[in-house]
Amino acid sequence: MSRFQNGTNGYTNGHHDQEGSARHEEGYGDGSSVGIGRQNRVGGYGSFHSNGVVEESDHQQNPNANDLTPESDPSAPHWRRRPGRWDREWSDSGRSREAPGLGTNESHRYGDGPGGRQIEDVVQYIQDKWNFMTKEDCVPVHVTLQLMDHSSLGRGNDYYDFQDTNKRLQKAMKAIVNEHHQGFNSSIGTFHKIQSSIQSSQIRVRTLRESLLHAKSNLLVTKPELKGLAATSQNYEDMLQVIGQIEKIQLLPEQLDAKISEKHFLSAVDVLEDALRLIRRSNLENIGALADLQIYFSNQETSLTDILVEELHDHLYLKSPYCQDRWKSFASKTVELIESGLDAPSRTRPIYRFLGNLDTSTLMIDNASQNPESDSFEYIHMLIESLNKMGRLEVAVERMENRLPMELFAIVDKTNHEVDSRHPAYLRTQNKDSSNKLSLDLDNSGRTDILHDLLWTLYSKFEAIAEGHRAVHAVVVGILQREGLRQSSRMLGGFKELWKLYQSEIRSLLHDYLATDGNQVYRSGQIAVGSANVFQRTPRDKSKRVFKLEQIDAANTGIANEQQELDKILQSSVPGLVSKSQGKSGVDKTNRNLNHDNTAIGHKLLVEPSVFNISLLLPPSLSFLQSLREIVPPDSDIAISTLTSFLDDFLINVFYPQFEETVTELCTQSFMELDAFQEDSRWSDYARNPIFKGASTIFSLVKVFCEMFDTIPQDQTFTQLIITQLVAYYDKCCQWYKALVTHTQVDGALRLKTAAAFIGNSDIQNIVKTLWETKDSNREDLRRKEVELLVAKTNETPLEPFDIISDRRSVVSLCLLYTSMQWLASRLSQLRHIIPDKAVSASQASGKSRQSSRWTLLGANKMQDDERPVQLPMTRDSAIAFDGVVSSFRDLAMTGLLTLHVDIRCGIIHMISRTFNAFYQLEQPANEPDPSVMSLNADLLSFDDNVVHYLPSDEHSFIITGIGLLIDYILVADASKISVMNQNGCGRMQLNILVLQQNLKSIEEDASLVRSAQFFELFAEGADAIVKRAKETGGKDLGLSLEELKEVVELCHSEGLRSTQRDVAMQAKRTLNDHLLQLSESMWNS
């Protein structure tokens, strides 16, 4: 700062006499009196102020000095002034009131008036043009000589600028004086007051000096009695101090109790430390009256530590009512997830705000104006700071670590009982009376709500507890850093121990609700099935108390007085804990009652263990572990990437073996039950046609397993296991089919029934399968071939009754076999999902597939999408095996359908053959058809009803169409099996054909027995008429072939040929030969 800015007078030697100031004050208000009384010193040091005085005096001596110009003074040719230079430079410097070197505050240091602005402009200009004169090393004489030098090395050209600057400076100073003359006037009076005060002070100092000299002279005189008085005074002073300290100590217990009751523990620790520091002073140690207080404060030190630790555990383990907003129950959590769309950021939780605002570099200050428990994490911070201030932080950390297993067990057990009380028992016991374990495993309507409630609630509490331990960890780390202590694992290992216990609890929960080994009865008081009878006397549980002390007479005055005295003792010795112990007594007793049977066997199971629970257990577990990733302290020894490694071990060592065993057991049970191959009563819920109960069950199992695969790491072992069970079910269905189509011979050997045996024949199988696959007009030719081949095969090996699958149960079973296998194959095809080759190669490159399980949360803890298609993941190799199983199911279904198709035809052939074996040489006309025909009609109607009910329309049409063709063909082709027939017998046969025709109309609309009817009509006309018509028309209008006409002619002579009279038989034989010869000639000629 220049001398103009700091208010100096401008002399380079710093000289400024008071007389000049006095002269300036005396000349206040008169600009012409600035230089009065001052003598000009030759070669003296000047300043802008002094130069201004000189110049003004020169101006008075030479009034025309200002009019001097280069033109009017030729004698000074070098004093040339460039016109407008000063005005331009002055106006440029005045454009800004603030110079670059001046701050905002300095630009107004001379005032806001005109004088202040003028002097600011002058100072700014001086700094711009004459700044070198403001330096400490400036020599005025040297500057003066430069101003007088008009050469190129001098500054003679700036002389007029120097004069103008000096004038304007004087003018600005006059303006300042005019603006502040009132302040100057008042300062004069103030100066006189100060001067008088100084004079009075000098007088008092002189008086005090005289008094001190007098006191010194008095003290030099020896007085022995003063020494005793001084000692006595000192003793009295010490006694007063002790009494004051005692009075202060007596007030501290009340203050301490008040602070503890209000839970302002930082202030309570300060009070306790002050009390202990006071009472342990050497001057108070031997005072017997303070012995009780010494014992009291010593006990309070221990009691306060216990209180702080208990309060810390109350907030760590959510026992305090102020912690209820730190966790969410299942119902409220579900609503919150739905409303927030599952996308609420986790960083908005209170723990992250606490960690972001945590400052442990300074000691925490207790705020007495608010409830310390309103913010749970700040309360934890205060408790730890209080323990550290007492020097008990290490003790508190050790107690926390020791109590951690017990506290977590209590949390799990309490949550278990809360969930148990919220859900009625019938939701879990509705299937207890059923011995079918399969239905119990598949029905999860009750256990879903129970397990969701248990796990989401429990993991929410676990997360809140982890947040509390994270807060403790952060505060302890901050305290250790603040105090420069080493961060040991003993002080910071609490979170790692918490994580180990979390692993143990999660592993225990998963094992309890997944593993089905051992006793299946629910643990912890689960009522067995046999003891569900309310009228049955049950033995008393001796582990429960018969009575409680709370049941005694509370109105008893003696007991009431004892209780009051006990409360007073507790309140006086351990303040702050009496109310808490009373409040917790009920909870502790309740917990003891709840936990009395869980101390050795773990927690109570709310639902029956099952591997199907994995889809309910894993999502909340993984969600909790995902949340725990953000809570784990970064400086802990826990590797974030290994948080789910223990789940891999659990799956490999526990779940995988249990899953394989359960899948095998359930699948085996599904097709080993008595009703496995019976019609499912709820088939309409799954399929369009009735199916086996075992088929629907096996597919439900496969579907549930596929749904479980979405919640666990994919492993092709699971897919192979499912394929293996499907193969086992296929083998069981094949065995069951063989049992249907097999009969035992007399010698005990097993033999396939004719229809099944024909299906094994390549010729018949090919024709029938081609007939099923062909949809054009060629089907009629195929049907004729089929009929001819079947009749030929049955003629080679006559059919027996046991060769026919005639009973309704077997027909229905074959129908169900077809629909079940087709339905199962179709549903299994929908589950087919091939994993991309990249995923397969990556899995193979990672080593063991099970060891490389990776846990991922789809959609960041999103709930499972019910609309997502269920799929069975498989590789290309697995897909080949899977497709083979599906194809096998379809082949078995086709085998059952073809067996039905052939069996009904074999039955017709067998029944028609029985009809031909009847007696047709009747003495009188028949009024009823043959019994075998009636039986055949009944069988056809029953068969058709079953097929219509159990098979689709295409399959029904495939089986039924062609029956009329078969009957018509066999009635003609096998008519030779009739041994003898007369006209009455022919009438009975025609009645049989008529009855069959009418019955076939209700089964096959296009069925017609024209040829068979024509055959027996020719028989009724007689052999002569047949030969005559053959001669006339060549046999074209007869509708039969030559061989068939010969059979009719032979049948016409059958009665004569079988006659007992020899001549009649011989005559009939000659006539037959004659008719056959004529018939042959007529047919050949045509």
mmCIF file of all heavy atoms in Angstrom, residues 629-649:
data_model
loop_
_atom_site.group_PDB
_atom_site.id
_atom_site.type_symbol
_atom_site.label_atom_id
_atom_site.label_comp_id
_atom_site.label_asym_id
_atom_site.label_seq_id
_atom_site.Cartn_x
_atom_site.Cartn_y
_atom_site.Cartn_z
ATOM 1 N N ARG A 629 -24.507 -56.800 0.270
ATOM 2 C CA ARG A 629 -23.311 -56.356 -0.438
ATOM 3 C C ARG A 629 -23.045 -54.876 -0.206
ATOM 4 O O ARG A 629 -21.891 -54.447 -0.114
ATOM 5 C CB ARG A 629 -23.460 -56.620 -1.935
ATOM 6 C CG ARG A 629 -23.434 -58.088 -2.337
ATOM 7 C CD ARG A 629 -23.740 -58.231 -3.815
ATOM 8 N NE ARG A 629 -23.750 -59.608 -4.243
ATOM 9 C CZ ARG A 629 -22.701 -60.252 -4.730
ATOM 10 N NH1 ARG A 629 -21.555 -59.608 -4.846
ATOM 11 N NH2 ARG A 629 -22.772 -61.510 -5.106
ATOM 12 N N GLU A 630 -24.109 -54.080 -0.154
ATOM 13 C CA GLU A 630 -23.945 -52.643 0.001
ATOM 14 C C GLU A 630 -23.712 -52.237 1.450
ATOM 15 O O GLU A 630 -23.325 -51.107 1.715
ATOM 16 C CB GLU A 630 -25.182 -51.933 -0.548
ATOM 17 C CG GLU A 630 -25.479 -52.252 -2.005
ATOM 18 C CD GLU A 630 -26.733 -51.567 -2.496
ATOM 19 O OE1 GLU A 630 -27.356 -50.851 -1.690
ATOM 20 O OE2 GLU A 630 -27.093 -51.744 -3.667
ATOM 21 N N ILE A 631 -23.993 -53.161 2.381
ATOM 22 C CA ILE A 631 -23.860 -52.832 3.802
ATOM 23 C C ILE A 631 -22.494 -53.226 4.335
ATOM 24 O O ILE A 631 -21.992 -52.633 5.276
ATOM 25 C CB ILE A 631 -24.985 -53.518 4.602
ATOM 26 C CG1 ILE A 631 -26.362 -53.078 4.073
ATOM 27 C CG2 ILE A 631 -24.886 -53.188 6.079
ATOM 28 C CD1 ILE A 631 -27.518 -53.782 4.730
ATOM 29 N N VAL A 632 -21.871 -54.234 3.729
ATOM 30 C CA VAL A 632 -20.582 -54.721 4.235
ATOM 31 C C VAL A 632 -19.553 -53.594 4.211
ATOM 32 O O VAL A 632 -19.390 -52.921 3.189
ATOM 33 C CB VAL A 632 -20.100 -55.904 3.375
ATOM 34 C CG1 VAL A 632 -18.697 -56.318 3.788
ATOM 35 C CG2 VAL A 632 -21.052 -57.068 3.509
ATOM 36 N N PRO A 633 -18.864 -53.345 5.318
ATOM 37 C CA PRO A 633 -17.851 -52.286 5.325
ATOM 38 C C PRO A 633 -16.743 -52.589 4.328
ATOM 39 O O PRO A 633 -16.305 -53.744 4.187
ATOM 40 C CB PRO A 633 -17.325 -52.308 6.769
ATOM 41 C CG PRO A 633 -18.397 -52.985 7.561
ATOM 42 C CD PRO A 633 -19.034 -53.970 6.641
ATOM 43 N N PRO A 634 -16.261 -51.582 3.617
ATOM 44 C CA PRO A 634 -15.205 -51.832 2.619
ATOM 45 C C PRO A 634 -13.893 -52.275 3.233
ATOM 46 O O PRO A 634 -13.105 -52.942 2.568
ATOM 47 C CB PRO A 634 -15.075 -50.479 1.905
ATOM 48 C CG PRO A 634 -15.608 -49.469 2.872
ATOM 49 C CD PRO A 634 -16.677 -50.162 3.653
ATOM 50 N N ASP A 635 -13.654 -51.940 4.501
ATOM 51 C CA ASP A 635 -12.388 -52.307 5.127
ATOM 52 C C ASP A 635 -12.491 -53.577 5.947
ATOM 53 O O ASP A 635 -11.598 -53.880 6.744
ATOM 54 C CB ASP A 635 -11.892 -51.161 6.013
ATOM 55 C CG ASP A 635 -12.931 -50.735 7.038
ATOM 56 O OD1 ASP A 635 -14.091 -51.155 6.915
ATOM 57 O OD2 ASP A 635 -12.585 -49.969 7.956
ATOM 58 N N SER A 636 -13.581 -54.314 5.795
ATOM 59 C CA SER A 636 -13.714 -55.576 6.516
ATOM 60 C C SER A 636 -12.977 -56.683 5.770
ATOM 61 O O SER A 636 -12.562 -56.532 4.626
ATOM 62 C CB SER A 636 -15.190 -55.946 6.682
ATOM 63 O OG SER A 636 -15.787 -56.181 5.425
ATOM 64 N N ASP A 637 -12.850 -57.818 6.425
ATOM 65 C CA ASP A 637 -12.149 -58.966 5.822
ATOM 66 C C ASP A 637 -13.076 -59.819 4.974
ATOM 67 O O ASP A 637 -12.683 -60.910 4.551
ATOM 68 C CB ASP A 637 -11.528 -59.830 6.925
ATOM 69 C CG ASP A 637 -10.465 -59.070 7.704
ATOM 70 O OD1 ASP A 637 -9.900 -58.122 7.121
ATOM 71 O OD2 ASP A 637 -10.213 -59.413 8.868
ATOM 72 N N ILE A 638 -14.295 -59.363 4.720
ATOM 73 C CA ILE A 638 -15.267 -60.147 3.955
ATOM 74 C C ILE A 638 -15.100 -59.813 2.483
ATOM 75 O O ILE A 638 -15.153 -58.639 2.090
ATOM 76 C CB ILE A 638 -16.700 -59.839 4.416
ATOM 77 C CG1 ILE A 638 -16.852 -60.129 5.905
ATOM 78 C CG2 ILE A 638 -17.710 -60.645 3.616
ATOM 79 C CD1 ILE A 638 -18.210 -59.734 6.473
ATOM 80 N N ALA A 639 -14.906 -60.835 1.664
ATOM 81 C CA ALA A 639 -14.826 -60.644 0.219
ATOM 82 C C ALA A 639 -16.241 -60.591 -0.356
ATOM 83 O O ALA A 639 -17.033 -61.519 -0.181
ATOM 84 C CB ALA A 639 -14.034 -61.769 -0.431
ATOM 85 N N ILE A 640 -16.573 -59.484 -0.994
ATOM 86 C CA ILE A 640 -17.929 -59.302 -1.509
ATOM 87 C C ILE A 640 -18.282 -60.384 -2.521
ATOM 88 O O ILE A 640 -19.415 -60.856 -2.590
ATOM 89 C CB ILE A 640 -18.065 -57.901 -2.142
ATOM 90 C CG1 ILE A 640 -17.732 -56.813 -1.100
ATOM 91 C CG2 ILE A 640 -19.466 -57.693 -2.673
ATOM 92 C CD1 ILE A 640 -18.647 -56.794 0.083
ATOM 93 N N SER A 641 -17.302 -60.794 -3.316
ATOM 94 C CA SER A 641 -17.580 -61.771 -4.369
ATOM 95 C C SER A 641 -17.895 -63.152 -3.829
ATOM 96 O O SER A 641 -18.400 -64.000 -4.566
ATOM 97 C CB SER A 641 -16.382 -61.856 -5.313
ATOM 98 O OG SER A 641 -15.214 -62.237 -4.597
ATOM 99 N N THR A 642 -17.614 -63.414 -2.560
ATOM 100 C CA THR A 642 -17.846 -64.744 -1.986
ATOM 101 C C THR A 642 -19.055 -64.779 -1.072
ATOM 102 O O THR A 642 -19.193 -65.707 -0.277
ATOM 103 C CB THR A 642 -16.604 -65.180 -1.201
ATOM 104 O OG1 THR A 642 -16.360 -64.245 -0.127
ATOM 105 C CG2 THR A 642 -15.384 -65.236 -2.099
ATOM 106 N N LEU A 643 -19.931 -63.796 -1.168
ATOM 107 C CA LEU A 643 -21.085 -63.768 -0.274
ATOM 108 C C LEU A 643 -22.030 -64.933 -0.526
ATOM 109 O O LEU A 643 -22.755 -65.352 0.362
ATOM 110 C CB LEU A 643 -21.833 -62.433 -0.422
ATOM 111 C CG LEU A 643 -21.197 -61.226 0.257
ATOM 112 C CD1 LEU A 643 -22.035 -59.985 0.024
ATOM 113 C CD2 LEU A 643 -21.016 -61.460 1.744
ATOM 114 N N THR A 644 -22.060 -65.442 -1.747
ATOM 115 C CA THR A 644 -22.970 -66.541 -2.061
ATOM 116 C C THR A 644 -22.244 -67.871 -2.204
ATOM 117 O O THR A 644 -22.852 -68.856 -2.618
ATOM 118 C CB THR A 644 -23.713 -66.246 -3.371
ATOM 119 O OG1 THR A 644 -22.754 -66.033 -4.414
ATOM 120 C CG2 THR A 644 -24.583 -65.021 -3.228
ATOM 121 N N SER A 645 -20.959 -67.921 -1.872
ATOM 122 C CA SER A 645 -20.219 -69.175 -2.036
ATOM 123 C C SER A 645 -20.743 -70.250 -1.103
ATOM 124 O O SER A 645 -20.738 -71.433 -1.454
ATOM 125 C CB SER A 645 -18.732 -68.926 -1.793
ATOM 126 O OG SER A 645 -18.522 -68.417 -0.477
ATOM 127 N N PHE A 646 -21.180 -69.871 0.077
ATOM 128 C CA PHE A 646 -21.689 -70.885 0.996
ATOM 129 C C PHE A 646 -22.974 -71.508 0.464
ATOM 130 O O PHE A 646 -23.283 -72.663 0.779
ATOM 131 C CB PHE A 646 -21.914 -70.272 2.382
ATOM 132 C CG PHE A 646 -23.156 -69.457 2.507
ATOM 133 C CD1 PHE A 646 -24.308 -69.992 3.047
ATOM 134 C CD2 PHE A 646 -23.184 -68.145 2.068
ATOM 135 C CE1 PHE A 646 -25.452 -69.244 3.172
ATOM 136 C CE2 PHE A 646 -24.321 -67.391 2.185
ATOM 137 C CZ PHE A 646 -25.465 -67.942 2.735
ATOM 138 N N LEU A 647 -23.731 -70.769 -0.364
ATOM 139 C CA LEU A 647 -24.925 -71.349 -0.969
ATOM 140 C C LEU A 647 -24.540 -72.413 -1.997
ATOM 141 O O LEU A 647 -25.247 -73.426 -2.133
ATOM 142 C CB LEU A 647 -25.765 -70.253 -1.630
ATOM 143 C CG LEU A 647 -26.528 -69.328 -0.685
ATOM 144 C CD1 LEU A 647 -27.316 -68.318 -1.491
ATOM 145 C CD2 LEU A 647 -27.449 -70.101 0.216
ATOM 146 N N ASP A 648 -23.437 -72.197 -2.709
ATOM 147 C CA ASP A 648 -22.965 -73.223 -3.640
ATOM 148 C C ASP A 648 -22.627 -74.509 -2.896
ATOM 149 O O ASP A 648 -23.001 -75.605 -3.320
ATOM 150 C CB ASP A 648 -21.742 -72.719 -4.400
ATOM 151 C CG ASP A 648 -22.069 -71.532 -5.294
ATOM 152 O OD1 ASP A 648 -23.236 -71.414 -5.696
ATOM 153 O OD2 ASP A 648 -21.175 -70.729 -5.564
ATOM 154 N N ASP A 649 -21.929 -74.364 -1.783
ATOM 155 C CA ASP A 649 -21.605 -75.555 -0.988
ATOM 156 C C ASP A 649 -22.864 -76.230 -0.475
ATOM 157 O O ASP A 649 -22.956 -77.464 -0.464
ATOM 158 C CB ASP A 649 -20.700 -75.160 0.185
ATOM 159 C CG ASP A 649 -19.380 -74.573 -0.267
ATOM 160 O OD1 ASP A 649 -18.969 -74.883 -1.407
ATOM 161 O OD2 ASP A 649 -18.781 -73.798 0.481
#
